[in-house]
Amino acid sequence: MGVGYGYPEGALERLQQEELGILREVARVCADLGLTWFMDSGSCLGAVRHGGFIPWDDDIDVALPLEDYRTFCEKAPALLSDTYGLHTYAQTENYPPLWAKVYKKGTRFMSEQMAEAGFDQGIFVDVFAFARLDSHPRTARRQCRRAARWQRVSYLRCFSRPKLPDGLPLRPVFAWGCRVAHRVARALFSRAFVERRFERNLASGDGGGPWYDPFYPQYGTFATQTLFPPVEMEFAGEAFPVPRDAPAYLTEMYGDYLALPPEGKRGACPPVVLDFGDGVNVMDAAALR
């Protein structure tokens, strides 16, 4: 395969294999702890539509119910092999996301935003949580709004140039606004304050409503029988769990999930630094000569 999706020849496939190794480690730790988990969002879509990675995808997402997610974050560091580590918002300095990541030590996967934040990110698998909303729709909508707000504040605290959608109207105005918001967020909100408010929102409500991802509430809401118990599905020649009713899950999240996007919209978000652990940034054309 030649150069594609913004990566040098062979780099995306190699990255996917590294992430698959991390996924196996996540699966092993979850099995050791007796935790429920499943392939999430684009990784579930890849399993259903492609039998593995979406060809242009450059990450893996997994999710656990909230209590299992908390157990994973607490106990995984002691169970992960020496090759891997765990980043969480509470325990990792300059870490922008509120969710967790399992990463491979000695590697680097650096976007411009992570570099600005001062966070040295390795090749990773994202670890999300699903929690239950309040049974009253109005309260549930408020929980979703607050969850999204505190994730945005966390990002804006860490960097002033978030990735903006292509084709965004008045893009320069939005970019200027993000720079201003970054200074305001840094001045008004400490990391500990953001974490407390996010956790307070998670704990609010009666927990009798549908499930949602508090880190990405815009993905929608899901019935218990849509998510649990997970079932196994092939992903890159191996079997991993996906939501019980994957078609219903993906329809809620993406709509017509079997339709491929236009060719111009098939692409990853390549980093500016990708080092597989040998000290070579394969994204640097000079390094490939």
Side-chain angles (χ1 to χ4, degrees):
M1 178 179 177
V3 176
Y5 309 121
Y7 282 88
E9 183 177 0
L12 178 56
E13 295 87 346
R14 186 179 175 188
L15 174 62
Q16 291 172 342
Q17 288 304 306
E18 291 284 359
E19 292 167 346
L20 191 57
I22 302 173
L23 177 64
R24 295 188 192 104
E25 183 73 358
V26 170
R28 181 189 67 79
V29 170
C30 286
D32 288 349
L33 292 171
L35 304 178
T36 297
W37 70 283
F38 53 80
M39 303 282 283
D40 188 24
S41 57
S43 297
C44 177
L45 176 58
V48 172
R49 195 172 67 191
H50 303 275
F53 284 95
I54 298 171
W56 50 89
D57 202 4
D58 60 358
D59 70 351
I60 290 179
D61 304 313
V62 304
L64 302 86
L66 182 59
E67 292 309 311
D68 283 6
Y69 172 84
R70 295 194 192 283
T71 299
F72 183 89
C73 291
E74 176 188 353
K75 297 185 176 181
L79 296 176
L80 291 167
S81 70
D82 291 342
T83 304
Y84 303 104
L86 179 72
H87 288 310
T88 65
Y89 187 79
Q91 298 176 356
T92 306
E93 188 177 0
N94 299 327
Y95 181 65
L98 289 170
W99 64 89
K101 295 176 186 277
V102 176
Y103 66 97
K104 185 174 182 180
K105 297 176 181 177
T107 64
R108 301 184 76 207
F109 185 99
M110 294 292 294
S111 65
E112 292 179 356
Q113 290 78 21
M114 293 302 180
E116 182 185 357
F119 171 59
D120 197 11
Q121 178 171 260
I123 295 171
F124 62 90
V125 164
D126 283 318
V127 182
F128 296 101
F130 272 69
R132 294 193 70 172
L133 290 160
D134 191 85
S135 57
H136 192 284
R138 182 176 180 180
T139 303
R141 289 193 295 270
R142 184 166 60 245
Q143 287 175 288
C144 289
R145 289 194 300 270
R146 288 173 175 171
R149 178 192 309 152
W150 291 114
Q151 181 59 76
R152 287 194 298 270
V153 170
S154 175
Y155 277 138
L156 286 169
R157 280 196 75 262
C158 292
F159 43 77
S160 62
R161 299 186 301 275
K163 181 174 174 56
L164 299 174
D166 294 334
L168 179 70
L170 301 175
R171 189 185 182 95
V173 176
F174 274 93
W176 175 84
C178 287
R179 291 193 294 271
V180 173
H182 168 68
R183 292 194 292 269
V184 172
R186 294 282 292 184
L188 295 182
F189 306 116
S190 68
R191 286 178 60 84
F193 181 86
V194 172
E195 183 182 20
R196 286 196 304 271
R197 286 304 180 99
F198 185 81
E199 289 291 333
R200 181 185 300 177
N201 185 58
L202 264 182
S204 66
D206 59 19
W211 295 80
Y212 80 124
D213 178 348
F215 306 109
Y216 279 96
Q218 63 269 33
Y219 279 174
T221 60
F222 307 87
T224 298
Q225 60 267 29
T226 297
L227 301 179
F228 307 111
V231 296
E232 288 197 338
M233 183 172 289
E234 181 177 341
F235 184 90
E238 303 181 46
F240 296 105
V242 298
R244 178 176 178 269
D245 189 347
Y249 166 83
L250 292 171
T251 298
E252 172 68 17
M253 191 171 286
Y254 298 114
D256 184 6
Y257 62 91
L258 292 177
L260 293 173
E263 286 196 19
K265 293 187 177 297
R266 300 177 193 177
C269 297
V272 293
V273 176
L274 176 56
D275 176 359
F276 288 101
D278 55 7
V280 176
N281 176 19
V282 301
M283 304 305 295
D284 184 353
L288 303 176
R289 293 173 187 155

